[in-house]
Amino acid sequence: EAQVTQNPRYLITVTGKKLTVTCSQNMNHEYMSWYRQDPGLGLRQIYYSMNVEVTDKGDVPEGYKVSRKEKRNFPLILESPSPNQTSLYFCASSLTSPSMNTEAFFGQGTRLTVV
Amino acid sequence: AQKITQTQPGMFVQEKEAVTLDCTYDTSDQSYGLFWYKQPSSGEMIFLIYQGSYDEQNATEGRYSLNFQKARKSANLVISASQLGDSAMYFCAMREGQTGGFKTIFGAGTRLFVKA
C-alpha cells in the first residue's frame, strides 16, 4: 500500500529541547515536503527536497532543519523548539514535475505543542 | 511572487446541489500544476483533482471537476450533487516548475457545510 508515514502523531515538548519528526514514503518519490498548518493560514511549506541530498527552503524555514540522506526518508528537525512552532505538521511526497499529475500523498500529521 | 487566493472562508450548500469553490492564483511560471485537497474534521489530507498548466481540457474526477480559466488565472472546484460527507475544509494548491523552484503553495482554504 502506497503511504507516507510520519511519527509521532502527537508530541508535547518543552522550549529548547531538540526534537525530530520522522517521515518515510514507500513510493520511490523524488519530491518530499514538510508543511505546517495553522488556523486561517492554510498549509505553508517549510522545506522541500527534490531528491537525495537536494533540499530547499519553502516559505517558513526559520527554526527548522531537514536532511535527505535516503530517498525514502525526510526527517524534520527542530533544534530549539519555541512556542510559536506549536502547530500541525504534515509530510508529503510526490513526483517532482508539475506538468504531470503530481498528486501528493500526505502523512497523517503530527500535532506538536511546545510549552 | 506566487500566490493562491481562496476568497470564500465558508460556504453553505444544500444536499444534492452543486457548489463552486473559488481559487485564483498568480505565477510567472509557464509550467505549473494546480491541485485541490479535502481535509475532513479527522484531519487527513485527501487529494481530489489535478490540472496541469498545459492541459487544454478541464480535469474531472467523479463528482469533482476543475473549471480552469488560464487567462483569468482561476481554478475553481465544482462539486456536483453535494453529499453530507462533503462537509470539510477544501484547499487549492499550486506547484510551480523550474522557474518557480518547484515550490508548492496552498490557499487559506474554504470550509464547506452541506445542509440536509
Side-chain angles (χ1 to χ4, degrees):
Chain A
E1 181 191 351
Q3 60 184 5
V4 176
T5 303
Q6 59 179 104
N7 284 295
R9 293 288 310 279
Y10 302 92
L11 181 58
I12 301 174
T13 190
V14 296
T15 299
K17 185 176 180 182
K18 180 179 178 179
L19 66 91
T20 299
V21 185
T22 63
C23 176
S24 180
Q25 50 96 2
N26 63 359
M27 295 162 280
N28 203 36
H29 283 159
E30 303 95 9
Y31 192 98
M32 296 187 73
S33 187
W34 277 102
Y35 301 91
R36 61 177 288 172
Q37 183 178 15
D38 303 290
L41 297 177
L43 279 75
R44 293 179 291 168
Q45 195 173 42
I46 302 170
Y47 270 95
Y48 61 102
S49 168
M50 289 186 284
N51 218 322
V52 176
E53 304 292 359
V54 179
T55 63
D56 213 339
K57 296 178 181 178
D59 287 332
V60 288
E62 295 77 19
Y64 304 94
K65 283 176 58 177
V66 293
S67 68
R68 188 92 181 270
K69 294 184 170 54
E70 307 164 282
K71 200 169 187 179
R72 63 182 291 124
N73 295 324
F74 190 46
L76 179 69
I77 303 158
L78 285 71
E79 295 268 4
S80 182
S82 63
N84 65 11
Q85 292 178 297
T86 293
S87 188
L88 177 60
Y89 291 86
F90 285 101
C91 177
S93 78
S94 69
L95 300 173
T96 295
S97 171
S99 63
M100 304 159 58
N101 186 344
T102 56
E103 171 190 349
F105 291 80
F106 280 78
Q108 293 170 295
T110 295
R111 189 164 292 282
L112 173 66
T113 302
V114 184
V115 298
Chain B
Q2 72 268 50
K3 189 177 178 182
I4 292 274
T5 303
Q6 294 181 254
T7 57
Q8 307 149 314
M11 289 275 290
F12 285 87
V13 65
Q14 196 68 40
E15 192 179 12
K16 299 179 186 173
E17 291 185 351
V19 63
T20 297
L21 306 184
D22 295 341
C23 174
T24 58
Y25 61 93
D26 191 18
T27 179
S28 55
D29 211 325
Q30 296 301 309
S31 176
Y32 53 89
L34 297 156
F35 308 82
W36 278 91
Y37 292 89
K38 173 184 178 181
Q39 187 178 41
S41 57
S42 51
E44 71 267 31
M45 295 290 289
I46 302 168
F47 167 78
L48 296 178
I49 197 166
Y50 161 86
Q51 179 86 41
S53 59
Y54 297 119
D55 295 341
E56 295 186 352
Q57 299 221 340
N58 286 342
T60 60
E61 290 283 350
R63 294 187 299 111
Y64 304 107
S65 60
L66 198 153
N67 185 359
F68 182 45
Q69 298 190 42
K70 194 170 182 176
R72 293 186 177 184
K73 294 189 175 178
S74 76
N76 299 339
L77 177 71
V78 181
I79 305 175
S80 63
S82 297
Q83 301 171 357
L84 295 178
D86 293 334
S87 293
M89 197 74 171
Y90 289 82
F91 293 100
C92 180
M94 176 175 67
R95 168 88 53 83
E96 289 188 315
Q98 192 160 8
T99 304
F102 298 103
K103 279 187 177 180
T104 303
I105 57 168
F106 279 73
T110 295
R111 186 168 293 281
L112 179 66
F113 300 91
V114 180
K115 299 182 289 183

